[in-house]
Amino acid sequence: MVYGAIEAGGTKFVCAISSDGQSIAERVSIATTQPEETMAQVYQFFDQFKLTAMGIGSFGPIDSNPSSAQYGQILSTPKQGWSSFDFLGAVKKRYSIPVAWTTDVNAAAYGEAKNGSAQDVEHSIYLTVGTGIGGGFVSEGVIKEGIGHAEMGHIFVAKHEGDYFDGICPFHKGCLEGLASGSAISARYQKKAQELTLNQEVWELEAFYLAQAVYNYSLLHRPERIILGGGVMKQKQLYHLIQAQVDKLNQTYISLPDLASYVVAPALGDNAGIIGCLILAQEQIKLSN
Amino acid sequence: MVYGAIEAGGTKFVCAISSDGQSIAERVSIATTQPEETMAQVYQFFDQFKLTAMGIGSFGPIDSNPSSAQYGQILSTPKQGWSSFDFLGAVKKRYSIPVAWTTDVNAAAYGEAKNGSAQDVEHSIYLTVGTGIGGGFVSEGVIKEGIGHAEMGHIFVAKHEGDYFDGICPFHKGCLEGLASGSAISARYQKKAQELTLNQEVWELEAFYLAQAVYNYSLLHRPERIILGGGVMKQKQLYHLIQAQVDKLNQTYISLPDLASYVVAPALGDNAGIIGCLILAQEQIKLSN
Ligand SMILES: Nc1ncnc2c1ncn2[C@@H]1O[C@H](COP(=O)(O)OP(=O)(O)O)[C@@H](O)[C@H]1O
Ligand SMILES: Nc1ncnc2c1ncn2[C@@H]1O[C@H](COP(=O)(O)OP(=O)(O)O)[C@@H](O)[C@H]1O
Ligand SMILES: [Zn+2]
Ligand SMILES: [Zn+2]
């Protein structure tokens, strides 16, 4: 068996091949430009193999509702050229194999739930804090969605008293992503987030916002584990700061798991998404039978 | 068949009987005092009937996790005498019949999903805005929980610019319940909410907070309908105000159902909870076989 995986991000596409759905045999990274150009390179990579199944985790918003006419498409996106691109259709047409289709963050949540930091629990959330903020929820082995995939990064939370930054989300201004994504940090301090490592105030404020998000998810989903990944979480001190703030927010209200094992890093690191896609590819074979 | 239902609130217990699980044949309302006293009256009512099954929707927090040692109990509550009360155990012992067990708001969400405003959709939320704020989420015919039931009323949302009220939640101060419950309205304006009907500012501010909650739930659960009930929603103008604010918050971000049919009143009115309990009672018979 040869499984293929595409983790399609706004900046780059990572394509990978695996024979067991767990270890990556080959991998390539392709810049995200126009669909035609990018997909030509994707095909060039995968054409080398005799694929059994494929898993795609795409940047959103996507249509993930199998009963919708737009199923398989990228929906309206500021990313030039990609709105209405029939990603799933294109890949299925090229390879005539079972293809799994979800968001990049759902794929990462699934990878972590099956093979990573949440493999021992029933209900888990994965949140990436990078250029943007997004997440997925896995419950009883299944990625949970309603009429569309979750948009966990865009919830509204309380502003910090001293924070006069309006936020940069093009849709919501001061939503979580608008206040606490890597791009928001850069915009607020006029410096890249990675250049602010020694400025403790930055990470206190960041933890203030991420803790509210973690707490809101906790109240609504009651998961057993929340995994925080993405570029901003390379600031490892954030885990402690967020755990402490969540504890402070909760007081004695709900019974939370021990916080040190509740708010954690992805065991699969930057591979969470691609591994999730490989597992989804494997499972798609059964679903397509 | 004779189905029993207990909607156990912090102020009163409503007990009801039905032969078809839909229409209520008899009903009694009992003041919530101490467990022994209150339950004696509950038994007095139900002892008159030959019950087939029972459904309980209780004020929370409750232990709703069947694999927990405290399953069936009311957890730590400020309500004098009720912490650790083994509600499910007591009722099962008294009647030796199948007994369903969930929160009052989950029962209402279930009632509305099966027989009320959400019977035509797959994913719905019911939120009560009364003395407190609480809600439940029903997806594909099932009440969804993680390691515990949702606490939808206690999420954090953004403060309104001009709002200097700190909030009254004993755990979180300015969480949604602390800012927007009926009790919060009374505390903010030093008047009962029902006496503020003509003060438009009150309802604009109330809609500002409830719209953020509706929007956050929308992003995380992506439901097809959100039902708002409870005493505060007797102010019917709130539905329009909330719909307008949700539209403003969302801009063009996610595709929401038509707002007039998305944020709606409970079709079962104040009976949502008790009807939910009756349906759960009926279904418990199959589960117990
Ligand atoms: N060591 C670091 N500390 C803080 N922020 C970082 C660090 N490394 C990357 N970032 C931030 O993370 C963001 C990129 O996130 P990443 O998850 O790597 O990619 P993307 O979200 O685009 O897929 C940028 O905003 C960058 O400033
Ligand atoms: N017509 C009304 N307009 C506004 N608020 C109301 C109205 N009727 C009741 N309330 C408020 O609703 C709350 C009671 O909510 P209710 O759902 O009736 O009971 P509970 O939440 O205690 O079960 C109180 O705070 C009360 O002030
Ligand atoms: Zn946003
Ligand atoms: Zn609270």
Side-chain angles (χ1 to χ4, degrees), chain A residues 3-284:
Chain A
Y3 306 105
I6 308 177
E7 191 186 17
T11 316
K12 62 174 198 285
F13 276 39
V14 178
C15 300
I17 284 289
S18 168
S19 56
D20 59 3
Q22 305 212 11
S23 58
I24 294 164
E26 273 194 61
R27 170 203 309 253
V28 69
S29 180
I30 294 162
T32 311
T33 58
Q34 292 292 311
E36 219 168 297
E37 188 182 15
T38 306
M39 292 308 292
Q41 292 178 262
V42 168
Y43 297 150
Q44 208 185 330
F45 174 72
F46 286 115
D47 282 355
Q48 308 172 74
F49 309 97
K50 176 120 195 49
L51 294 172
T52 316
M54 177 94 98
I56 307 174
S58 173
F59 68 90
I62 69 169
D63 192 323
S64 57
N65 181 350
S67 59
S68 152
Q70 281 77 45
Y71 179 63
Q73 296 184 17
I74 292 180
L75 296 173
S76 171
T77 167
K79 193 89 203 146
Q80 181 81 47
W82 290 88
S83 293
S84 302
F85 173 61
D86 183 10
F87 200 153
L88 177 63
V91 172
K92 274 187 155 171
K93 193 170 163 214
R94 180 90 185 181
Y95 298 109
S96 306
I97 52 171
V99 183
W101 168 246
T102 192
T103 63
D104 46 1
V105 281
N106 274 344
Y110 201 65
E112 286 293 325
K114 294 284 171 174
N115 270 1
S117 290
Q119 55 185 299
D120 57 326
V121 300
E122 289 284 291
H123 312 278
S124 62
I125 284 171
Y126 173 90
L127 193 77
T128 181
V129 189
T131 307
I133 301 183
F137 175 51
V138 176
S139 177
E140 291 161 348
V142 177
I143 296 168
K144 276 299 296 173
E145 300 191 352
I147 44 167
H149 56 82
E151 289 287 0
M152 308 189 80
H154 294 265
I155 61 168
F156 285 91
V157 296
K159 278 296 272 287
H160 193 280
E161 274 188 320
D163 187 10
Y164 298 105
F165 182 66
D166 277 342
I168 56 152
C169 176
F171 297 95
H172 313 107
K173 262 195 174 174
C175 70
L176 180 71
E177 176 169 305
L179 294 170
S181 61
S183 325
I185 298 175
S186 307
R188 182 188 269 115
Y189 299 100
Q190 308 286 322
K191 255 190 195 173
K192 279 194 185 143
Q194 50 270 53
E195 291 162 7
L196 293 158
T197 304
L198 298 177
N199 186 336
Q200 211 179 319
E201 253 177 54
V202 173
W203 310 112
E204 287 283 354
L205 186 65
E206 182 68 9
F208 173 84
Y209 288 119
L210 293 177
Q212 284 187 73
V214 163
Y215 192 58
N216 282 358
Y217 307 152
S218 300
L219 292 169
L220 297 182
H221 288 301
R222 303 296 304 269
E224 290 156 283
R225 194 151 296 141
I226 297 186
I227 300 162
L228 302 179
V232 172
M233 295 306 300
K234 301 261 145 94
Q235 300 288 330
K236 293 292 174 202
Q237 73 276 24
L238 275 174
Y239 292 96
H240 269 113
L241 294 172
I242 294 166
Q243 288 156 3
Q245 294 264 17
V246 168
D247 195 40
K248 201 173 130 198
L249 288 176
N250 184 50
Q251 300 290 336
T252 57
Y253 189 58
I254 53 169
S255 141
L256 289 168
D258 171 52
L259 284 161
S261 58
Y262 182 56
V263 178
V264 301
L268 304 174
D270 295 336
N271 284 331
I274 207 83
I275 297 282
C277 290
L278 288 172
I279 302 172
L280 286 166
Q282 264 186 310
E283 294 176 353
Q284 193 65 30

Side-chain angles (χ1 to χ4, degrees), chain B residues 7 9-12 104 126 128-133 181-186 191-197 203 229-238 270:
Chain B
E7 191 187 16
T11 316
K12 63 175 198 286
D104 47 0
Y126 174 89
T128 182
V129 189
T131 308
I133 300 183
S181 61
S183 324
I185 298 175
S186 308
K191 255 190 198 174
K192 280 195 186 140
Q194 51 270 53
E195 292 161 7
L196 293 158
T197 304
W203 310 111
V232 172
M233 295 306 301
K234 302 260 146 95
Q235 301 287 331
K236 293 291 173 202
Q237 72 277 25
L238 276 174
D270 294 337

